Amino acid sequence: MQPLEKLRVLDLTQAMAGPYCTQILGDLGADVIKVEPPGKGEMTRRGMGFRMKGDDTAAFLAINRNKRSLTLDLKSDEGREILLALVRESDVLVENFRPGVTERLGLDYETLKDVNPRLLYASISGFGQTGPHSSRAGFDLIAQGMGGVMSVTGEPGGDPVKSGLPISDLSAGMYLALGILSAYIAREETGRGQHIDTSLFESVLSLAVWETSELWSTGRVPEPFGSAHRLNAPYQALRTRDAYITVGANNDKLWRAFCEAIGRPELIEDERFVDNNTRMENRQELEAELERTTKEKDTAEWMEIFGEAGVPGGPIYNYKEVFEDPHTHERQMMREYDHPVEGKVKTLGIPVKMSETPGDIRLPAPMLGEHAADVLRELGYDDDRIKALRDQEVI
């Protein structure tokens, strides 16, 4: 059994945030029907990322497993009729059109809630469905800039730097999945659906818990600190003889253990570093003192020393090294599925483990329109009608 196996989700999304949300739901058992334009499908399928053997990009394969694909011309009367039939039979509709587009298509929440009052209608956009920026196009980069992330990322005094991961896209996808599940629980009590609305801007801004606490408590505008932490020290990357290591000696007990472990007990009583406040005030001197010592040994040596001393620390992996670590495999964070064109496809594992109702990878990312006939038959369409819809390029 999977926790969401009774949930049917209509996925009208493309690119990153929306498909990531619906993949989370699919991993937990939901029947996700990915509705795409006939011909080329959604933008990530053909136009973004690296290709392997087939036409679909690796980026598409990465965020569209556990879904079925139905191609549908939503601008045609027949296509809209099919979608409305699906809405009647579904629990959730997820869309990431720019605000106003679904209304022009006659597929907005106010219209569809009359078709299915229990429908959970979930929207992701750049800036949300309301507000002065709601009509603006939004991408991860724009949201990172306007949400403050780029002002605190990178080295002090350096140029603006975005996060290496598309965190506004990914956080919006996770928040929307959380919102859908919360609304699903509420619907079990009330019997009523609702509109769930989040945005890249709000999602990434909500992650700024330390930065806003600094702004609102001190009046200072937060600045970038490189790998360092704005509240604790030392909590950062330090040079070793062959690379870098991260160190989390972020309280007095760990600070003392760290100084003993690196053979520098005199730093414990150094007035510049006697507590966290003085270590923060003298951060540059602290880093210089510590790197005088950490550069004397290789990262692997320090890892062994820190492990014995109980000091939090770790190497800085590239992604190849991440998947060479046995812990990654023990936690099943690299999986494989069989794809009809690509063969064995590596994919990230499911990060939440549940003892009784675990998520699973049941389906590969679908070929364009692969499940159109199956979905339409479930709605009562016969083979002749399905063929006619293909001939008319409705599907």
Side-chain angles (χ1 to χ4, degrees):
M1 176 184 175
Q2 289 192 282
L4 301 183
E5 61 185 26
K6 294 183 179 180
L7 196 73
R8 171 171 278 188
V9 178
L10 297 181
D11 178 4
L12 275 62
T13 68
Q14 60 180 337
M16 170 66 79
Y20 189 66
C21 167
T22 54
Q23 179 169 281
I24 292 171
L25 301 177
D27 285 351
L28 297 175
D31 175 20
V32 180
I33 300 173
K34 186 174 180 69
V35 180
E36 303 181 67
K40 292 185 178 180
E42 68 119 306
M43 61 186 293
T44 312
R45 186 183 281 278
R46 299 286 193 266
M48 295 174 62
F50 308 101
R51 285 187 173 83
M52 294 180 287
K53 298 176 184 176
D55 292 331
D56 294 340
T57 65
F60 177 85
L61 301 182
I63 51 174
N64 285 288
R65 68 192 183 206
N66 285 332
K67 302 178 186 182
R68 300 192 287 166
S69 174
L70 166 69
T71 49
L72 206 57
D73 180 1
L74 296 178
K75 294 180 180 179
S76 69
D77 291 339
E78 296 91 343
R80 188 172 178 277
E81 179 184 328
I82 292 169
L83 188 73
L84 292 177
L86 284 168
V87 166
R88 293 185 189 97
E89 302 294 325
S90 298
D91 300 286
V92 182
L93 183 147
V94 186
E95 61 88 15
N96 65 347
F97 296 107
R98 193 184 300 192
V101 171
T102 56
E103 189 172 5
R104 291 196 296 273
L105 291 171
L107 301 173
D108 56 296
Y109 175 62
E110 293 301 317
T111 300
L112 296 188
K113 74 176 182 180
D114 292 334
V115 177
N116 179 358
R118 290 173 57 83
L119 183 68
L120 306 175
Y121 189 106
S123 300
I124 285 184
S125 58
F127 296 94
Q129 301 298 305
T130 59
H133 298 325
S134 61
S135 63
R136 295 175 60 168
F139 293 98
D140 176 78
L141 175 67
I142 312 303
Q144 286 199 38
M146 293 183 67
V149 173
M150 293 176 67
S151 74
V152 295
T153 305
E155 295 297 327
D159 294 333
V161 178
K162 74 177 183 67
S163 167
L165 300 178
I167 58 170
S168 64
D169 276 329
L170 298 175
S171 61
M174 287 190 283
Y175 274 126
L176 195 66
L178 176 62
I180 289 167
L181 297 179
S182 299
Y184 182 43
I185 293 170
R187 193 186 71 179
E188 294 304 294
E189 294 292 325
T190 67
R192 297 192 304 273
Q194 59 181 295
H195 190 185
I196 305 113
D197 169 23
T198 193
S199 70
L200 308 190
F201 171 74
E202 291 163 274
S203 296
V204 79
L205 178 56
S206 75
L207 303 179
V209 289
W210 295 142
E211 290 70 24
T212 52
S213 70
E214 178 181 2
L215 174 66
W216 293 331
S217 64
T218 70
R220 293 193 304 264
V221 177
E223 297 178 351
F225 282 113
S227 68
H229 197 281
R230 64 185 60 255
L231 302 182
N232 298 293
Y235 189 92
Q236 65 185 91
L238 296 170
R239 292 179 186 272
T240 63
R241 186 161 56 195
D242 62 339
Y244 286 86
I245 193 168
T246 54
V247 172
N250 57 342
N251 60 46
D252 289 339
K253 180 179 178 181
L254 289 173
W255 167 243
R256 290 191 292 272
F258 174 64
C259 291
E260 295 286 354
I262 65 173
R264 297 289 305 277
E266 75 278 6
L267 295 178
I268 298 171
E269 304 301 328
D270 191 311
E271 63 181 12
R272 297 171 298 172
F273 314 132
V274 70
D275 58 25
N276 186 62
N277 288 335
T278 57
R279 292 193 292 274
M280 290 290 291
E281 290 170 4
N282 298 290
R283 185 197 305 271
Q284 292 182 331
E285 294 172 66
L286 174 66
E287 181 176 329
E289 284 285 357
L290 297 180
E291 287 193 337
R292 279 176 47 202
T293 301
T294 57
K295 287 192 290 187
E296 294 175 354
K297 290 182 173 64
D298 292 343
T299 296
E301 295 177 81
W302 285 124
M303 283 301 301
E304 186 174 346
I305 291 168
F306 291 168
E308 292 175 356
V311 174
I316 296 177
Y317 286 154
N318 61 40
Y319 279 107
K320 181 175 183 293
E321 292 166 331
V322 171
F323 293 103
E324 291 171 348
D325 190 315
H327 185 81
T328 306
H329 295 272
E330 179 69 23
R331 295 296 294 171
Q332 297 186 323
M333 282 309 295
M334 184 175 74
R335 302 280 297 278
E336 285 187 337
Y337 62 70
D338 292 313
H339 187 275
V341 173
E342 306 293 348
K344 294 287 186 184
V345 174
K346 289 184 172 65
T347 187
L348 287 167
I350 298 171
V352 177
K353 277 65 176 177
M354 291 185 280
S355 63
E356 301 300 323
T357 57
D360 197 12
I361 300 170
R362 310 178 314 281
L363 298 171
M367 305 289 286
L368 181 61
E370 179 180 352
H371 304 96
D374 292 339
V375 172
L376 291 174
R377 288 190 192 104
E378 291 167 7
L379 292 174
Y381 286 71
D382 61 28
D383 289 348
D384 289 340
R385 182 63 178 136
I386 293 170
K387 181 179 183 303
L389 290 170
R390 289 194 192 281
D391 292 342
Q392 296 164 24
E393 297 184 346
V394 174
I395 63 173

